[in-house]
């Protein structure tokens, strides 16, 4: 493998010399800038061997470096040869800093503008100033050298009828056109794959774990849309489905259509669109208006039909999880301690019993013992999957893409008898989870305003976790949906009725154990006795929380009441879908708890 990577690095260096560049930046992202990158666009993996979901590499004529964050500092050393790449921390020493430390003034740095956001390009130009030349390239040298590049996945277009998504494409287009008019613009470029599929009420499976079609779109102030997808992939009922004002173009015509916006005012979201669009519009003499993707907020606020679908799929998903968790308990009781890969396959097999399951919503995190201390652990990136051991914890973070919604759930399971410390830390995490679940807050509240509710009990004891508390979730779309979130980070987006977010505080003890409790929550309005209504969360996830990990006397009466009521709801809604030993297990798992002191 090292020889193969060495040959690939040499090929890129040959390209640098031939084209008079001193360095090239290779990010993990592809031209769609999404979280999930299809195999044929895994350029960073091809070049370095690194399989993580975030990172970048820099190749110069003399040396190379790979940049990853704290999730991948162990993994990168196993996958990327130290003889070829220096290891650098993506946050502590960003790629541009390494470049300026490594190369003299006047050096020419190549970048593919399709692989970087417009915001990154602007920031990079500012940081490098006149001391370095940052040059956009038309041809990517990796694509020139990648002889065995996989073919793109070409999935079938699925039309989502209005009675399944709650709003017609025509209605959505008019709604977004009104936003464009409010921005004093003539059009908006749409590059987020889930925004495009939401707008046109279509889905696909071009990308693993993300039910989208690889495409781009431009929506105009008259509500018409230019949609860029190979016309051969468009199903015969498409125009009837979306309306005659949607024009389909081959992706090769994208530049021509952007040129047609000459003199127009065009909205571009520099945080989500790639820099190529900005450069193309500038070259076309269009006026760029910096504005958020106009589909983000409407997409995030689920309508009544989408909410009903999310609730229904979570009940079915809860039944799959009950089957899985009862199976684990039976296997452990029988002395069968499986490995992480077997467990991940098993939870997937239970979900696949539902014919409406289209895909998983992300690769299952199946982490035994100390592996769970790595919050984004992936057993497939290890030499061998970890094995369950008695008197430890097992963490499983998984979810499904169903025709009527998307799920994401984490449960931390006792394997044998957890230690007193594990029980204490689990209970502190649970108290934070309940704090979010029980929150009441006025309209206009940001997610960062609520984050302390999840961390307060951990903080009080000198603990914390190094990830956000909650992310948005789509409706049969991205499991990580913006712009809503709950985290320490100041993101000025108010939580709105109909949004769905995760609630997932955790705790991680390096090399020993990891804990996370995750439900999805729906933002809803609650009437009060006061002068105005407030917002609150309704838990959507339907799966027991492992009572064996709880010190019940650490819970307040309201917290215990919430837990018992949650478990009663799980029993009421999931028990009709299971039978036999699973039903008996579920009855025991959801039985009410009481304080030991009464």
């Amino acid at each position: 493998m090292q020889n193969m990577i060495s040959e690939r690095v040499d090929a890129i260096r040959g390209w640098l010399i031939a084209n008079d560049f001193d360095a090239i930046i290779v990010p993990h992202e592809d031209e769609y800038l999404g979280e999930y990158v299809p195999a044929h666009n895994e350029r960073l993996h091809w070049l370095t061997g690194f399989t993580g979901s975030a990172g970048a590499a820099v190749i110069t004529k003399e040396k190379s470096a790979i940049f990853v964050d704290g999730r991948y500092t162990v993994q990168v050393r196993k996958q990327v040869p130290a003889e070829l790449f220096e290891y650098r921390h993506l946050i502590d020493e960003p790629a541009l800093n390494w470049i300026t430390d490594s190369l003299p003034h006047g050096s020419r740095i190549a970048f593919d503008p399709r692989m970087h956001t417009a915001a990154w390009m602007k920031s990079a130009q500012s940081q490098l100033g006149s001391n370095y030349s940052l040059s956009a390239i038309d041809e990517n040298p990796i694509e020139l050298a990648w002889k065995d590049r996989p073919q793109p996945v070409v999935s079938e277009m699925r039309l989502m009828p209005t009675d399944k998504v709650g709003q017609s494409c025509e209605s959505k287009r008019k709604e977004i056109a009104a936003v464009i008019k409010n921005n004093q613009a003539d059009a908006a470029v749409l590059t987020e794959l889930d925004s495009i599929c939401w707008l046109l009420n279509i889905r696909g499976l071009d990308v693993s774990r993300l039910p989208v079609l690889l495409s781009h779109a431009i929506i105009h102030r008259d509500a018409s849309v230019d949609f860029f997808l190979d016309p051969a992939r468009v199903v015969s009922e498409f125009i009837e489905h979306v309306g005659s004002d949607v024009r389909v173009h081959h992706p090769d015509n994208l530049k021509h259509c952007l040129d047609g916006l000459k003199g127009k005012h065009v909205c571009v979201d520099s945080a989500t669109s790639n820099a190529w669009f900005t450069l193309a519009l500038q070259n076309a003499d269009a006026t760029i208006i910096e504005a958020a993707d106009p589909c983000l907020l409407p997409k995030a606020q689920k309508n009544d039909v989408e909410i009903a679908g999310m609730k229904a799929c979570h009940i079915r998903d809860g039944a799959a999880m009950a089957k899985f968790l009862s199976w684990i308990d039976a296997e452990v009781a029988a002395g069968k301690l499986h490995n992480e890969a077997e467990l991940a396959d098993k939870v997937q097999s239970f979900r696949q019993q539902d014919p409406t399951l289209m895909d998983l919503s992300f690769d299952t995190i199946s982490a035994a013992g100390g592996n769970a201390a790595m919050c984004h652990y992936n057993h497939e990136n290890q030499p061998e999957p970890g094995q369950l051991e008695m008197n430890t914890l097992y963490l499983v973070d998984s979810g499904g893409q169903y025709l009527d919604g998307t799920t994401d759930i984490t449960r931390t399971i006792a394997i044998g008898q957890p230690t007193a410390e594990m029980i204490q830390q689990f209970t502190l995490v649970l108290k934070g989870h309940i704090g979010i679940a029980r929150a009441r807050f006025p309209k206009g509240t940001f997610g960062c305003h609520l984050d302390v509710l999840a961390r307060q009990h951990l903080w009080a004891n000198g603990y914390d976790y190094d990830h956000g508390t909650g992310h948005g979730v789509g409706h049969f779309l991205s499991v990580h949906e913006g712009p809503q979130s709950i985290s320490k980070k100041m993101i000025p987006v108010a939580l709105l009725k109909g949004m769905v977010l995760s609630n997932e505080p955790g705790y991680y003890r390096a090399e020993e154990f990891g804990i996370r409790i995750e439900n999805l929550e729906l933002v809803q309005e609650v009437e009060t006795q006061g002068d105005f209504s407030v917002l609150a969360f309704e838990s959507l996830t339907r799966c027991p929380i492992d009572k064996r990990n709880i010190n019940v006397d650490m819970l307040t009466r309201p917290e215990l009441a919430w837990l018992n009521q949650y478990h009663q709801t799980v029993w009421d809604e999931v028990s009709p879908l299971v039978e036999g030993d699973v039903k008996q297990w579920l009855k025991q798992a959801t039985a009410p708890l009481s304080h030991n002191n009464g």
Side-chain angles (χ1 to χ4, degrees):
M1 184 66 178
Q2 181 173 329
N3 290 338
M4 183 183 298
I5 293 175
S6 179
E7 292 174 0
R8 293 170 179 177
V9 171
D10 287 343
I12 302 305
R13 288 204 170 111
W15 179 88
L16 290 174
I17 294 169
N19 290 274
D20 194 26
F21 285 112
D22 298 288
I24 183 170
I25 304 170
V26 181
H28 175 261
E29 289 77 16
D30 68 355
E31 51 265 49
Y32 301 98
L33 300 180
E35 177 183 4
Y36 301 106
V37 176
H40 73 282
N41 283 343
E42 285 277 9
R43 298 173 179 88
L44 183 65
H45 177 219
W46 176 87
L47 177 63
T48 68
F50 177 63
T51 61
S53 63
V58 176
I59 308 293
T60 75
K61 294 175 181 176
E62 305 296 333
K63 58 182 182 177
S64 305
I66 186 164
F67 303 80
V68 300
D69 61 30
R71 295 174 293 173
Y72 299 114
T73 52
V74 175
Q75 178 180 326
V76 71
R77 294 176 183 275
K78 296 178 180 179
Q79 295 182 326
V80 181
E83 296 81 0
L84 299 175
F85 288 88
E86 298 178 16
Y87 304 129
R88 292 291 181 264
H89 195 286
L90 188 64
I91 308 302
D92 297 341
E93 187 180 4
L96 289 178
N97 292 29
W98 185 85
I99 287 173
T100 56
D101 289 341
S102 303
L103 297 178
H105 287 184
S107 297
R108 299 184 69 225
I109 294 73
F111 78 104
D112 188 333
R114 299 173 300 160
M115 314 302 161
H116 299 268
T117 66
W120 178 91
M121 180 178 67
K122 182 177 180 181
S123 174
Q125 290 171 335
S126 175
Q127 179 177 342
L128 296 175
S130 59
N131 295 323
Y132 297 86
S133 173
L134 185 66
S135 302
I137 55 176
D138 294 325
E139 282 190 314
N140 192 306
I142 290 178
E143 295 167 13
L144 298 175
W146 194 351
K147 302 305 182 184
D148 58 347
R149 186 179 182 186
Q151 289 298 311
V153 172
V154 180
S155 64
E156 182 180 354
M157 175 186 287
R158 178 182 293 274
L159 304 181
M160 299 294 289
T162 303
D163 63 359
K164 299 298 183 184
V165 294
Q167 186 180 6
S168 69
C169 172
E170 183 178 8
S171 173
K172 289 180 178 180
R173 290 192 285 111
K174 289 179 179 178
E175 180 180 353
I176 301 306
V179 176
I180 294 171
K181 292 175 184 176
N182 288 339
N183 287 329
Q184 305 297 309
D186 299 295
V189 170
L190 300 181
T191 59
E192 292 255 50
L193 297 174
D194 57 335
S195 289
I196 296 168
C197 287
W198 172 85
L199 178 67
L200 300 179
N201 286 341
I202 57 176
R203 301 291 190 272
L205 291 173
D206 284 5
V207 183
S208 176
R209 314 317 189 203
L210 184 64
V212 297
L213 299 165
L214 295 175
S215 57
H216 291 110
I218 302 169
I219 180 169
H220 303 267
R221 64 184 289 128
D222 64 359
S224 67
V225 170
D226 291 303
F227 179 45
F228 299 90
L229 183 77
D230 185 347
R233 302 186 59 188
V234 175
V235 296
S236 58
E237 304 87 357
F238 177 74
I239 294 301
E240 180 182 355
H241 176 71
V242 297
S244 58
D245 291 334
V246 176
R247 300 171 289 270
V248 179
H249 307 268
H250 194 280
D252 292 345
N253 294 327
L254 179 57
K255 178 64 166 58
H256 175 74
C257 288
L258 291 174
D259 289 341
L261 296 174
K262 177 181 177 66
K264 303 289 188 180
H265 290 73
V266 183
C267 292
V268 176
D269 188 339
S270 64
T272 62
S273 68
N274 67 50
W276 180 86
F277 280 95
T278 293
L279 295 173
L281 288 168
Q282 289 174 345
N283 291 336
D285 292 327
T287 299
I288 295 176
I289 297 177
E290 174 61 39
D293 179 332
C295 297
L296 289 184
L297 282 177
K299 172 166 55 70
Q301 291 181 265
K302 311 297 182 285
N303 58 48
D304 289 345
V305 171
E306 292 171 320
I307 290 170
M310 291 291 275
K311 289 183 176 181
C313 75
H314 274 85
I315 294 172
R316 303 194 308 275
D317 196 73
M321 285 298 298
K323 294 174 184 178
F324 173 64
L325 297 179
S326 65
W327 173 84
I328 288 182
D329 279 1
E331 293 291 285
V332 172
K336 300 176 182 177
L337 300 177
H338 295 274
N339 68 41
E340 296 162 339
E342 292 168 338
L343 295 167
D345 290 344
K346 195 67 177 180
V347 70
Q348 180 173 347
S349 72
F350 284 122
R351 282 197 170 91
Q352 288 174 330
Q353 293 176 10
D354 186 335
T356 69
L357 182 78
M358 296 292 101
D359 195 0
L360 302 185
S361 54
F362 55 97
D363 291 335
T364 298
I365 297 174
S366 176
N371 290 337
M374 296 177 276
C375 60
H376 288 272
Y377 174 78
N378 186 338
H379 65 274
E380 294 182 349
N381 293 333
Q382 309 305 314
E384 291 183 2
Q387 193 88 19
L388 291 183
E389 296 180 5
M390 290 302 295
N391 305 325
T392 61
L393 298 176
Y394 167 64
L395 185 152
V396 56
D397 186 349
S398 63
Q401 292 285 6
Y402 299 91
L403 285 173
D404 51 353
T406 300
T407 68
D408 182 1
I409 172 177
T410 307
R411 288 295 181 264
T412 305
I413 309 306
I415 306 301
Q417 176 57 50
T419 66
E421 183 181 24
M422 292 173 182
I423 290 173
Q424 173 184 287
Q425 299 306 105
F426 185 95
T427 309
L428 292 175
V429 172
L430 176 60
K431 288 169 72 70
H433 178 95
I434 295 172
I436 292 291
R438 296 182 64 241
R440 299 290 185 270
F441 47 96
K443 295 177 182 178
T445 297
F446 301 162
C448 56
H449 296 149
L450 302 180
D451 187 70
V452 64
L453 299 176
R455 300 179 193 268
Q456 58 180 323
H457 305 288
L458 288 163
W459 283 351
N461 289 274
Y463 306 114
D464 200 1
Y465 52 93
D466 191 21
H467 59 74
T469 298
H471 56 81
V473 177
H475 173 260
F476 187 28
L477 279 172
S478 177
V479 74
H480 294 141
E481 176 183 83
Q484 70 273 30
S485 70
I486 303 173
S487 74
K488 296 177 183 178
K489 191 174 181 180
M490 175 60 182
I491 298 176
V493 175
L495 301 184
L496 302 172
K497 178 183 177 183
M499 285 181 171
V500 174
L501 299 99
S502 67
N503 170 10
E504 50 181 310
Y507 174 76
Y508 309 91
R509 177 68 56 84
E511 307 296 335
E512 295 186 29
F513 61 89
I515 296 165
R516 191 160 62 251
I517 305 169
E518 178 186 19
N519 283 356
L520 297 192
E521 311 280 356
L522 170 69
V523 180
Q524 59 177 350
E525 262 187 48
V526 177
E527 295 299 325
T528 69
Q529 296 179 348
D531 296 330
F532 60 91
S533 61
V534 300
L535 298 175
F537 290 120
E538 176 186 348
S539 297
L540 296 175
T541 305
R542 296 289 182 256
C543 179
I545 295 168
D546 196 337
K547 295 183 295 182
R548 296 168 296 187
N549 294 329
I550 301 172
N551 180 348
V552 69
D553 289 328
M554 289 175 60
L555 300 180
T556 65
R557 291 186 182 277
E559 289 169 346
L560 182 57
W562 179 92
L563 181 64
N564 285 336
Q565 181 56 58
Y566 174 73
H567 278 158
Q568 183 63 52
T569 301
V570 171
W571 170 257
D572 291 343
E573 297 187 358
V574 175
S575 62
L577 302 184
V578 297
E579 56 188 18
D581 291 342
V582 178
K583 195 162 194 167
Q584 188 60 37
W585 176 91
L586 184 64
K587 184 175 183 179
Q588 183 178 356
T590 58
L593 289 172
S594 60
H595 286 117
N596 293 324
N597 57 14

